[in-house]
Protein backbone atom coordinates (compact mmCIF):
# COMPACT_ATOMS: atom_id res chain seq x y z
CA UNK A 1 0.00 0.00 0.00
CA UNK A 2 1.19 3.49 -0.77
CA UNK A 3 1.83 6.05 1.90
CA UNK A 4 -1.29 8.10 2.18
CA UNK A 5 -1.44 11.80 2.73
CA UNK A 6 -4.32 11.62 5.18
CA UNK A 7 -4.76 12.29 8.86
CA UNK A 8 -7.19 11.11 11.45
CA UNK A 9 -10.34 13.25 11.09
CA UNK A 10 -10.58 13.78 14.86
CA UNK A 11 -7.00 15.03 15.17
CA UNK A 12 -7.94 18.74 14.81
CA UNK A 13 -10.15 18.39 17.91
CA UNK A 14 -7.45 16.93 20.13
CA UNK A 15 -4.42 18.23 21.96
CA UNK A 16 -2.20 15.64 20.35
CA UNK A 17 0.85 16.73 22.34
CA UNK A 18 -0.87 15.20 25.39
CA UNK A 19 -1.39 11.79 23.75
CA UNK A 20 -1.29 8.95 24.61
CA UNK A 21 -3.90 9.74 27.23
CA UNK A 22 -4.06 8.29 30.74
CA UNK A 23 -7.18 6.17 30.28
CA UNK A 24 -6.69 2.44 30.77
CA UNK A 25 -6.66 -0.08 27.91
CA UNK A 26 -10.30 -1.08 27.34
CA UNK A 27 -11.73 2.06 28.95
CA UNK A 28 -14.54 3.57 26.90
CA UNK A 29 -14.03 7.27 27.67
CA UNK A 30 -11.77 7.71 24.62
CA UNK A 31 -14.51 6.21 22.45
CA UNK A 32 -17.01 8.77 23.75
CA UNK A 33 -14.56 11.60 22.98
CA UNK A 34 -14.16 10.14 19.51
CA UNK A 35 -17.95 10.20 19.02
CA UNK A 36 -18.10 13.73 20.41
CA UNK A 37 -15.46 14.90 17.91
CA UNK A 38 -17.36 13.26 15.08
CA UNK A 39 -20.58 14.94 16.22
CA UNK A 40 -18.72 18.27 16.02
CA UNK A 41 -17.57 17.46 12.48
CA UNK A 42 -21.10 16.42 11.43
CA UNK A 43 -22.88 19.39 12.98
CA UNK A 44 -20.35 21.85 11.44
CA UNK A 45 -20.66 23.89 14.60
CA UNK A 46 -18.38 26.92 15.00
CA UNK A 47 -15.64 25.77 17.37
CA UNK A 48 -15.17 29.35 18.59
CA UNK A 49 -18.70 29.21 20.00
CA UNK A 50 -17.99 26.10 22.06
CA UNK A 51 -16.85 25.80 25.64
CA UNK A 52 -16.31 22.47 27.36
CA UNK A 53 -16.35 22.12 31.13
CA UNK A 54 -15.28 19.03 33.06
CA UNK A 55 -15.22 18.12 36.70
CA UNK A 56 -12.88 15.73 38.46
CA UNK A 57 -12.41 12.06 37.71
CA UNK A 58 -11.38 9.90 34.80
CA UNK A 59 -13.90 11.62 32.51
CA UNK A 60 -12.88 14.96 33.96
CA UNK A 61 -9.65 14.60 32.02
CA UNK A 62 -11.53 15.22 28.77
CA UNK A 63 -11.20 19.00 29.25
CA UNK A 64 -7.43 18.59 28.99
CA UNK A 65 -7.49 16.49 25.85
CA UNK A 66 -9.84 18.42 23.57
CA UNK A 67 -8.59 21.38 21.56
CA UNK A 68 -11.51 23.62 22.51
CA UNK A 69 -11.93 26.35 25.08
CA UNK A 70 -12.17 24.08 28.09
CA UNK A 71 -12.00 24.24 31.85
CA UNK A 72 -11.24 21.55 34.40
CA UNK A 73 -13.21 22.63 37.45
CA UNK A 74 -13.15 21.52 41.07
CA UNK A 75 -14.91 18.30 42.01
CA UNK A 76 -18.63 18.30 41.26
CA UNK A 77 -18.71 21.93 40.17
CA UNK A 78 -18.72 21.52 36.40
CA UNK A 79 -22.41 22.46 36.13
CA UNK A 80 -22.22 25.60 38.34
CA UNK A 81 -19.18 26.79 36.39
CA UNK A 82 -20.93 26.08 33.09
CA UNK A 83 -24.07 27.87 34.34
CA UNK A 84 -22.04 31.00 35.02
CA UNK A 85 -20.37 30.73 31.63
CA UNK A 86 -23.71 30.44 29.87
CA UNK A 87 -25.33 33.31 31.77
CA UNK A 88 -22.40 35.65 31.19
CA UNK A 89 -22.14 34.79 27.51
CA UNK A 90 -25.46 33.40 26.25
CA UNK A 91 -24.12 32.89 22.73
CA UNK A 92 -21.73 30.17 23.88
CA UNK A 93 -22.59 26.52 23.38
CA UNK A 94 -21.61 25.12 26.74
CA UNK A 95 -20.92 21.42 27.10
CA UNK A 96 -20.44 19.70 30.42
CA UNK A 97 -18.43 16.51 29.96
CA UNK A 98 -18.01 14.58 33.17
CA UNK A 99 -18.43 11.29 34.94
CA UNK A 100 -21.23 9.78 37.02
CA UNK A 101 -19.35 10.30 40.29
CA UNK A 102 -18.70 13.96 39.60
CA UNK A 103 -22.15 14.79 38.20
CA UNK A 104 -24.47 12.64 40.29
CA UNK A 105 -22.65 12.28 43.61
CA UNK A 106 -20.71 15.36 44.73
CA UNK A 107 -22.39 17.40 41.99
CA UNK A 108 -25.81 15.76 42.29
CA UNK A 109 -27.43 18.84 43.72
CA UNK A 110 -26.22 20.99 40.83
CA UNK A 111 -27.41 18.40 38.32
CA UNK A 112 -31.02 18.42 39.50
CA UNK A 113 -31.19 22.19 39.90
CA UNK A 114 -29.69 22.90 36.49
CA UNK A 115 -32.32 20.53 35.03
CA UNK A 116 -35.06 22.21 37.08
CA UNK A 117 -34.03 25.67 35.85
CA UNK A 118 -33.61 24.29 32.34
CA UNK A 119 -30.30 26.02 31.78
CA UNK A 120 -29.16 25.63 28.20
CA UNK A 121 -26.33 23.14 28.80
CA UNK A 122 -25.41 19.93 27.00
CA UNK A 123 -24.39 17.43 29.63
CA UNK A 124 -22.52 14.30 28.57
CA UNK A 125 -22.26 11.94 31.53
CA UNK A 126 -19.92 8.98 31.09
CA UNK A 127 -21.23 6.39 33.52
CA UNK A 128 -18.72 3.68 34.41
CA UNK A 129 -20.77 2.64 37.48
CA UNK A 130 -17.98 3.32 39.96
CA UNK A 131 -15.63 6.00 41.35
CA UNK A 132 -12.79 5.02 39.08
CA UNK A 133 -10.02 7.55 39.58
CA UNK A 134 -10.08 7.36 43.38
CA UNK A 135 -9.75 3.58 43.54
CA UNK A 136 -13.10 1.98 42.79
CA UNK A 137 -15.38 2.96 45.66
CA UNK A 138 -19.16 2.50 45.57
CA UNK A 139 -20.80 5.33 43.61
CA UNK A 140 -24.47 6.37 43.60
CA UNK A 141 -24.73 4.61 40.23
CA UNK A 142 -23.15 1.29 41.29
CA UNK A 143 -25.75 -1.44 40.69
CA UNK A 144 -26.83 -3.70 43.55
CA UNK A 145 -24.56 -6.57 44.66
CA UNK A 146 -21.52 -5.17 42.84
CA UNK A 147 -18.21 -5.59 44.62
CA UNK A 148 -16.21 -2.40 45.03
CA UNK A 149 -13.32 -1.38 47.27
CA UNK A 150 -15.78 -0.01 49.86
CA UNK A 151 -18.25 -2.89 49.53
CA UNK A 152 -16.15 -6.07 49.51
CA UNK A 153 -19.27 -8.20 50.16
CA UNK A 154 -21.33 -6.43 47.52
CA UNK A 155 -23.15 -3.14 47.63
CA UNK A 156 -26.58 -3.10 49.22
CA UNK A 157 -27.59 0.43 48.21
CA UNK A 158 -30.13 1.07 45.47
CA UNK A 159 -28.53 2.95 42.56
CA UNK A 160 -29.52 6.19 40.88
CA UNK A 161 -31.33 5.82 37.59
CA UNK A 162 -29.88 8.94 35.99
CA UNK A 163 -32.30 9.34 33.03
CA UNK A 164 -35.23 9.08 35.46
CA UNK A 165 -33.63 11.58 37.85
CA UNK A 166 -32.99 14.26 35.23
CA UNK A 167 -36.33 13.75 33.51
CA UNK A 168 -38.14 14.21 36.82
CA UNK A 169 -36.05 17.31 37.50
CA UNK A 170 -37.04 18.81 34.14
CA UNK A 171 -34.47 18.06 31.41
CA UNK A 172 -35.72 18.59 27.85
CA UNK A 173 -33.56 15.97 26.16
CA UNK A 174 -32.55 12.70 27.79
CA UNK A 175 -30.79 9.85 25.99
CA UNK A 176 -28.70 6.88 26.99
CA UNK A 177 -26.22 4.93 24.89
CA UNK A 178 -23.32 2.63 25.61
CA UNK A 179 -19.82 2.89 24.17
CA UNK A 180 -20.86 0.14 21.76
CA UNK A 181 -23.44 2.47 20.11
CA UNK A 182 -20.95 4.85 18.53
CA UNK A 183 -23.04 6.05 15.58
CA UNK A 184 -26.15 6.57 17.70
CA UNK A 185 -24.14 8.41 20.34
CA UNK A 186 -22.62 10.79 17.78
CA UNK A 187 -26.08 11.44 16.34
CA UNK A 188 -27.53 12.02 19.80
CA UNK A 189 -24.83 14.57 20.64
CA UNK A 190 -25.62 16.34 17.36
CA UNK A 191 -29.33 16.41 18.28
CA UNK A 192 -28.54 17.83 21.71
CA UNK A 193 -26.76 20.75 20.01
CA UNK A 194 -30.05 21.60 18.31
CA UNK A 195 -32.03 21.66 21.57
CA UNK A 196 -32.45 24.73 23.69
CA UNK A 197 -32.45 23.74 27.33
CA UNK A 198 -30.93 21.14 29.60
CA UNK A 199 -29.88 18.11 27.52
CA UNK A 200 -28.52 15.03 29.20
CA UNK A 201 -26.80 12.11 27.47
CA UNK A 202 -25.69 9.18 29.60
CA UNK A 203 -23.03 6.94 28.11
CA UNK A 204 -22.46 3.58 29.79
CA UNK A 205 -18.76 2.81 29.62
CA UNK A 206 -16.54 -0.05 30.78
CA UNK A 207 -14.10 0.36 33.66
CA UNK A 208 -12.00 -2.77 33.17
CA UNK A 209 -9.45 -1.87 35.85
CA UNK A 210 -11.80 -1.45 38.80
CA UNK A 211 -15.42 -2.34 38.14
CA UNK A 212 -15.12 -5.25 35.71
CA UNK A 213 -12.03 -6.75 37.35
CA UNK A 214 -13.44 -6.79 40.89
CA UNK A 215 -16.75 -8.20 39.67
CA UNK A 216 -15.07 -10.79 37.42
CA UNK A 217 -16.81 -9.40 34.35
CA UNK A 218 -13.80 -9.68 32.06
CA UNK A 219 -12.01 -6.86 30.29
CA UNK A 220 -13.13 -3.88 28.23
CA UNK A 221 -13.76 -5.95 25.14
CA UNK A 222 -15.87 -8.49 27.06
CA UNK A 223 -17.95 -5.60 28.39
CA UNK A 224 -18.41 -4.20 24.89
CA UNK A 225 -19.64 -7.63 23.77
CA UNK A 226 -22.03 -7.64 26.74
CA UNK A 227 -23.34 -4.22 25.66
CA UNK A 228 -23.81 -5.54 22.14
CA UNK A 229 -25.68 -8.60 23.37
CA UNK A 230 -27.75 -7.18 26.22
CA UNK A 231 -28.67 -3.67 25.16
CA UNK A 232 -32.05 -2.96 23.68
CA UNK A 233 -32.96 0.22 21.82
CA UNK A 234 -36.27 1.55 23.10
CA UNK A 235 -36.86 5.14 22.05
CA UNK A 236 -39.32 6.91 24.30
CA UNK A 237 -39.17 4.19 26.97
CA UNK A 238 -40.48 5.36 30.35
CA UNK A 239 -37.34 6.36 32.24
CA UNK A 240 -38.66 4.78 35.45
CA UNK A 241 -38.10 1.41 33.79
CA UNK A 242 -34.54 1.89 32.55
CA UNK A 243 -32.62 1.22 35.78
CA UNK A 244 -29.39 -0.72 35.46
CA UNK A 245 -28.43 -4.05 36.95
CA UNK A 246 -25.05 -5.74 36.98
CA UNK A 247 -25.54 -8.27 34.20
CA UNK A 248 -29.07 -7.59 33.02
CA UNK A 249 -30.53 -5.83 30.05
CA UNK A 250 -29.50 -2.24 29.26
CA UNK A 251 -32.28 -0.12 27.79
CA UNK A 252 -30.80 2.52 25.51
CA UNK A 253 -32.29 5.16 23.25
CA UNK A 254 -33.70 8.64 23.27
CA UNK A 255 -36.09 8.73 26.20
CA UNK A 256 -37.17 12.35 26.39
CA UNK A 257 -37.35 15.06 23.72
CA UNK A 258 -39.64 17.91 24.75
CA UNK A 259 -39.70 21.67 24.81
CA UNK A 260 -39.89 23.93 27.83
CA UNK A 261 -38.80 27.57 28.20
CA UNK A 262 -35.18 27.74 29.25
CA UNK A 263 -33.80 29.79 32.15
CA UNK A 264 -32.76 32.77 30.10
CA UNK A 265 -36.12 33.21 28.37
CA UNK A 266 -37.89 32.86 31.74
CA UNK A 267 -35.57 35.44 33.27
CA UNK A 268 -36.16 37.82 30.38
CA UNK A 269 -39.94 37.36 30.55
CA UNK A 270 -39.95 37.94 34.30
CA UNK A 271 -37.89 41.13 34.05
CA UNK A 272 -40.02 42.52 31.23
CA UNK A 273 -43.14 41.73 33.21
CA UNK A 274 -41.86 43.41 36.36
CA UNK A 275 -39.94 46.35 34.94
CA UNK A 276 -41.69 46.87 31.62
CA UNK A 277 -40.05 49.30 29.22
CA UNK A 278 -37.36 50.32 31.68
CA UNK A 279 -35.74 46.87 31.56
CA UNK A 280 -32.44 46.96 29.70
CA UNK A 281 -30.97 43.66 28.52
CA UNK A 282 -27.48 43.22 30.04
CA UNK A 283 -24.81 43.88 27.47
CA UNK A 284 -22.88 40.94 26.15
CA UNK A 285 -19.68 40.07 27.96
CA UNK A 286 -16.72 40.40 25.65
CA UNK A 287 -13.71 38.27 26.34
CA UNK A 288 -10.70 40.55 26.54
CA UNK A 289 -8.33 37.85 25.33
CA UNK A 290 -10.00 37.43 21.93
CA UNK B 1 -0.16 6.42 15.88
CA UNK B 2 1.01 2.88 16.54
CA UNK B 3 2.46 4.16 19.80
CA UNK B 4 -0.95 5.39 20.98
CA UNK B 5 -2.53 1.93 20.65
CA UNK B 6 -3.30 0.04 23.88
CA UNK B 7 -4.51 -3.13 22.15
CA UNK B 8 -8.05 -3.05 23.57
CA UNK B 9 -9.17 -4.99 20.50
CA UNK B 10 -12.34 -2.93 19.84
CA UNK B 11 -11.39 -2.27 16.19
CA UNK B 12 -10.60 -5.92 15.54
CA UNK B 13 -13.81 -7.18 17.16
CA UNK B 14 -16.26 -4.70 15.68
CA UNK B 15 -14.88 -4.36 12.13
CA UNK B 16 -17.90 -5.40 10.03
CA UNK B 17 -15.75 -7.05 7.35
CA UNK B 18 -13.00 -8.42 9.63
CA UNK B 19 -10.14 -6.54 8.04
CA UNK B 20 -7.97 -6.32 11.15
CA UNK B 21 -6.18 -8.65 13.57
CA UNK B 22 -3.90 -7.95 16.51
CA UNK B 23 -0.34 -8.34 15.29
CA UNK B 24 2.40 -10.20 17.09
CA UNK B 25 4.63 -7.11 16.95
CA UNK B 26 4.98 -4.84 19.98
CA UNK B 27 4.85 -1.08 20.21
CA UNK B 28 7.17 0.71 22.61
CA UNK B 29 4.69 0.36 25.49
CA UNK B 30 4.51 -3.40 24.97
CA UNK B 31 1.07 -3.61 23.39
CA UNK B 32 0.22 -5.53 20.23
CA UNK B 33 -1.30 -3.02 17.80
CA UNK B 34 -3.68 -4.30 15.10
CA UNK B 35 -2.58 -4.77 11.51
CA UNK B 36 -4.50 -5.08 8.27
CA UNK B 37 -4.90 -8.72 7.26
CA UNK B 38 -7.51 -8.34 4.53
CA UNK B 39 -7.13 -4.88 2.92
CA UNK B 40 -9.33 -5.85 -0.03
CA UNK B 41 -12.30 -6.32 2.31
CA UNK B 42 -12.09 -2.82 3.79
CA UNK B 43 -15.05 -0.64 2.86
CA UNK B 44 -13.59 2.47 4.49
CA UNK B 45 -16.58 2.73 6.83
CA UNK B 46 -14.38 4.16 9.61
CA UNK B 47 -16.13 2.19 12.35
CA UNK B 48 -12.68 1.20 13.67
CA UNK B 49 -11.94 4.92 13.92
CA UNK B 50 -15.12 5.59 15.86
CA UNK B 51 -14.52 2.75 18.31
CA UNK B 52 -10.84 3.48 18.93
CA UNK B 53 -10.53 4.96 22.44
CA UNK B 54 -6.95 5.99 21.72
CA UNK B 55 -7.44 7.83 18.39
CA UNK B 56 -4.89 5.44 16.91
CA UNK B 57 -6.70 4.09 13.85
CA UNK B 58 -9.22 5.24 11.27
CA UNK B 59 -10.59 4.23 7.91
CA UNK B 60 -11.09 6.39 4.89
CA UNK B 61 -12.68 5.93 1.49
CA UNK B 62 -10.19 6.85 -1.20
CA UNK B 63 -11.05 8.09 -4.69
CA UNK B 64 -10.72 5.14 -7.03
CA UNK B 65 -7.83 5.52 -9.46
CA UNK B 66 -8.92 5.72 -13.10
CA UNK B 67 -6.81 2.79 -14.23
CA UNK B 68 -8.04 0.54 -11.44
CA UNK B 69 -10.60 -1.72 -13.08
CA UNK B 70 -12.54 -3.00 -10.06
CA UNK B 71 -14.08 -0.01 -8.32
CA UNK B 72 -12.99 -0.83 -4.81
CA UNK B 73 -12.31 1.35 -1.86
CA UNK B 74 -8.97 1.03 -0.19
CA UNK B 75 -8.01 0.57 3.42
CA UNK B 76 -6.34 3.60 4.85
CA UNK B 77 -5.39 3.20 8.44
CA UNK B 78 -2.90 5.39 10.08
CA UNK B 79 -1.20 2.24 11.26
CA UNK B 80 -0.40 1.57 7.64
CA UNK B 81 0.83 5.09 7.14
CA UNK B 82 2.99 4.95 10.21
CA UNK B 83 4.36 1.55 9.41
CA UNK B 84 5.54 2.54 5.99
CA UNK B 85 6.78 6.02 6.74
Amino acid sequence: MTILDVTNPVEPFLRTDRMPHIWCPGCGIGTTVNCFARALIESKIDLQSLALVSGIGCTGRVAGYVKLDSFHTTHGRAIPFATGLKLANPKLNVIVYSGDGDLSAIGGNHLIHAARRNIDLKVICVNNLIYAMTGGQTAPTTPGHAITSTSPYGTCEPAFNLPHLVEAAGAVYVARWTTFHVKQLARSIGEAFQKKGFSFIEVISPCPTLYQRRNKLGDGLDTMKYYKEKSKVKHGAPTSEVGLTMTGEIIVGKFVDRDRPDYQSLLHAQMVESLGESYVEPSETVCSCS
Amino acid sequence: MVERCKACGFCVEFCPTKVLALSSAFNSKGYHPPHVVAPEKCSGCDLCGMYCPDFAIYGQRLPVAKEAAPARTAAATNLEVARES
Side-chain angles (χ1 to χ4, degrees), chain A residues 21-233:
Chain A
H21 53 61
I22 62 152
W23 297 315
C24 305
C27 169
I29 300 171
T31 304
T32 69
V33 176
N34 218 326
C35 296
F36 173 68
R38 278 151 212 272
L40 293 184
I41 299 172
E42 280 292 306
S43 60
K44 298 188 177 65
I45 201 160
D46 176 19
L47 297 188
Q48 294 299 315
S49 78
L50 279 182
L52 188 142
V53 184
S54 282
I56 298 297
C58 291
T59 316
R61 305 287 301 197
V62 170
Y65 291 130
V66 291
K67 209 192 258 175
L68 299 170
D69 285 342
S70 57
F71 197 80
H72 195 179
T73 67
T74 46
H75 202 358
R77 314 303 164 212
I79 288 180
F81 185 89
T83 302
L85 212 53
K86 183 73 193 173
L87 293 182
N89 193 348
K91 283 187 182 156
L92 277 182
N93 277 305
V94 185
I95 301 137
V96 174
Y97 209 122
S98 209
D100 55 313
D102 185 74
L103 286 172
S104 74
I106 186 167
N109 196 13
H110 305 303
L111 179 74
I112 54 174
H113 289 290
R116 174 180 64 83
R117 292 174 178 141
N118 201 20
I119 293 165
D120 189 16
L121 302 176
K122 325 288 164 217
V123 180
I124 300 170
C125 173
V126 180
N127 185 355
N128 53 14
L129 311 173
I130 208 160
Y131 290 136
M133 188 163 274
T134 48
Q137 295 85 353
T138 303
T141 45
T142 307
H145 315 297
I147 290 167
T148 69
S149 63
T150 49
S151 63
Y153 301 105
T155 177
C156 60
E157 301 170 16
F160 259 151
N161 173 354
L162 294 179
H164 190 38
L165 180 75
V166 292
E167 187 198 0
V172 292
Y173 183 93
V174 182
R176 175 199 273 161
W177 297 105
T178 74
T179 46
F180 169 72
H181 301 89
V182 283
K183 294 264 181 193
Q184 295 92 326
L185 174 60
R187 199 180 314 134
S188 215
I189 295 172
E191 276 178 25
F193 281 130
Q194 306 299 321
K195 291 293 288 185
K196 194 158 177 64
F198 191 85
S199 309
F200 184 86
I201 301 171
E202 182 187 23
V203 195
I204 314 288
S205 164
C207 175
T209 309
L210 292 158
Y211 182 78
Q212 266 80 29
R213 179 173 59 87
R214 281 216 172 86
N215 289 290
K216 301 196 168 39
L217 295 170
D219 59 10
L221 186 57
D222 292 324
T223 312
M224 291 287 271
K225 288 180 193 163
Y226 156 63
Y227 293 160
K228 185 181 177 182
E229 194 186 325
K230 289 289 179 86
S231 56
K232 215 172 224 175
V233 181

Side-chain angles (χ1 to χ4, degrees), chain A residues 1 3-4 6-8 11 14 16 19 21 23 25-27 30-31 33-34 38 179-180 182-183 221 224-225, chain B residues 1 4 6 8-10 13-14 31 46-47 49-55 58 60 62 75-76 78 81 84:
Chain A
M1 180 169 287
I3 297 170
L4 302 161
V6 283
T7 52
N8 193 333
E11 208 97 319
L14 301 171
T16 45
M19 299 288 155
H21 53 61
W23 297 315
C27 169
T31 304
V33 176
N34 218 326
R38 278 151 212 272
T179 46
F180 169 72
V182 283
K183 294 264 181 193
L221 186 57
M224 291 287 271
K225 288 180 193 163
Chain B
M1 294 298 146
R4 282 189 200 164
K6 293 176 187 160
C8 65
F10 292 180
E13 177 68 27
F14 299 118
Y31 295 112
D46 194 29
L47 210 58
M50 284 194 92
Y51 274 111
C52 181
D54 296 278
F55 319 107
Y58 64 97
Q60 201 167 56
L62 296 177
N78 233 339
V81 179
E84 295 184 19

